[in-house]
Amino acid sequence: MLDDVPNIFEAVFQCTLEMITKNFEDYPEHRLKFFSLLRAIATFCFPALIKLPSQQLKLVMDSIIWAFRHTERNIAETGLNLLLEMLKNFQ
């Protein structure tokens, strides 16, 4: 999967991010699945995240911040768990 993560990001990340950052209400199911995908990648394919270009990695980190600031509890909780996973991996 390490070689596939950049392709997944190219196909899904930017377009989904554009959809969900317009406001905090539209596409709640996309938001939850998007952040769940990020968490799975952070958990099982962390080396692939490190290999991303710095601009894409910054977008990942910005996305995590947007997630845990979200008004819906399940999305905010997913974001906090994702942040914890990222911090453990960076450690």
Side-chain angles (χ1 to χ4, degrees):
M1 282 299 298
L2 294 177
D3 295 332
D4 295 327
V5 169
N7 295 332
I8 292 169
F9 269 57
E10 186 177 324
V12 176
F13 189 78
Q14 190 64 38
C15 61
T16 306
L17 197 58
E18 288 174 10
M19 281 175 41
I20 65 175
T21 57
K22 292 181 182 177
N23 63 50
F24 282 121
E25 296 173 6
D26 293 342
Y27 311 109
E29 66 285 348
H30 283 79
R31 292 173 195 280
L32 189 57
K33 297 298 182 186
F34 176 76
F35 295 119
S36 296
L37 171 65
L38 283 181
R39 185 167 183 212
I41 291 171
T43 302
F44 300 109
C45 300
F46 186 74
L49 285 179
I50 298 301
K51 291 181 182 178
L52 290 174
S54 60
Q55 188 176 20
Q56 267 192 324
L57 185 58
K58 183 184 180 329
L59 274 177
V60 170
M61 297 309 294
D62 288 345
S63 299
I64 294 168
I65 293 168
W66 291 325
F68 69 73
R69 289 178 154 180
H70 202 277
T71 55
E72 284 192 36
R73 180 182 172 157
N74 59 344
I75 294 172
E77 186 175 314
T78 301
L80 286 172
N81 287 328
L82 176 54
L83 177 62
L84 179 62
E85 193 68 41
M86 291 290 285
L87 290 172
K88 285 179 183 178
N89 286 327
F90 276 119
Q91 183 182 28

